[in-house]
Amino acid sequence: MIMIPPDLAERITAIHAASHRLVLAFAGAGSVGLAWLHAIAGSSRTVLEALDAYSTRSRIAITGAINAPAVSAETAQAMAIWAYRRAQALSDGEWPLLGVGLTAAIITDRERRGADQAFLAIHTATGIETGHLALARANQQRIDQEILISRWLIDEIARACGIPS
């Protein structure tokens, strides 16, 4: 059974009540956010498609061969552009569309260079907004970082749908 914090359940219900439709492409983190979206009734109206582009080849297939690190604003933006175009292709109406791109590096079981961080980009009809989240490793486990990023994902989708925080 998936546990959804009550404050997020309300926000997700509001997301599903909004007229927006979205495609989500993510890598490295965000799967809990997708699970939360699906755990609240109404996700079939909101989520047109979601792709976990975890492998390098998968990420390149949706971003093209951009010259940017896997976890960067540029990669998140390329993912959001792909997701927006995919939403346009999948939408069956005149809905406001969101293309969401999320890429993250979080605690892993191997040695990894670089900071624990995430980049989130949301493409709408008016452009792309991109955010960055720096993550601390101290006193955290991978699931803690996944939950933090997933909360941020839900909050940013809600904001893009015009739902006040």
Side-chain angles (χ1 to χ4, degrees), residues 8 17 20 28-30 40 44 48 62 65 73 75 78 82 84 101 114 124-125 142 165:
L8 285 182
H20 294 72
I40 301 289
S44 63
L48 298 172
I62 65 172
T75 299
W82 176 89
Y84 188 79
T124 67
R142 182 180 178 88
S165 56

Side-chain angles (χ1 to χ4, degrees), residues 55-69:
S55 76
T56 300
R57 286 184 179 175
S58 178
R59 188 183 66 254
I60 289 171
I62 65 172
T63 63
I66 63 170
N67 188 18

Side-chain angles (χ1 to χ4, degrees), residues 76-136:
Q77 290 166 357
M79 294 170 81
I81 290 167
W82 176 89
Y84 188 79
R85 289 179 182 150
R86 186 73 176 146
Q88 288 174 316
L90 296 174
S91 181
D92 61 357
E94 294 297 319
W95 309 106
L97 301 175
L98 304 176
V100 182
L102 170 65
T103 182
I106 63 176
I107 293 171
T108 185
D109 62 355
R110 60 181 166 72
E111 189 68 28
R112 179 177 47 78
R113 296 184 322 240
D116 292 356
Q117 61 183 335
F119 291 89
L120 174 66
I122 298 181
H123 188 313
T124 67
T126 59
I128 300 177
E129 289 193 25
T130 307
H132 175 253
L133 183 64
L135 301 164

Side-chain angles (χ1 to χ4, degrees), residues 9-58:
E10 290 175 17
R11 292 190 59 75
I12 293 168
T13 298
I15 289 168
H16 294 330
S19 58
H20 294 72
R21 305 296 185 258
L22 67 87
V23 170
L24 167 63
F26 62 98
S31 61
V32 170
L34 177 61
W36 287 339
L37 283 168
H38 285 319
I40 301 289
S43 71
S44 63
R45 283 188 310 275
T46 306
V47 180
L48 298 172
E49 186 173 73
L51 174 68
D52 186 355
Y54 219 67
S55 76
T56 300
R57 286 184 179 175
S58 178

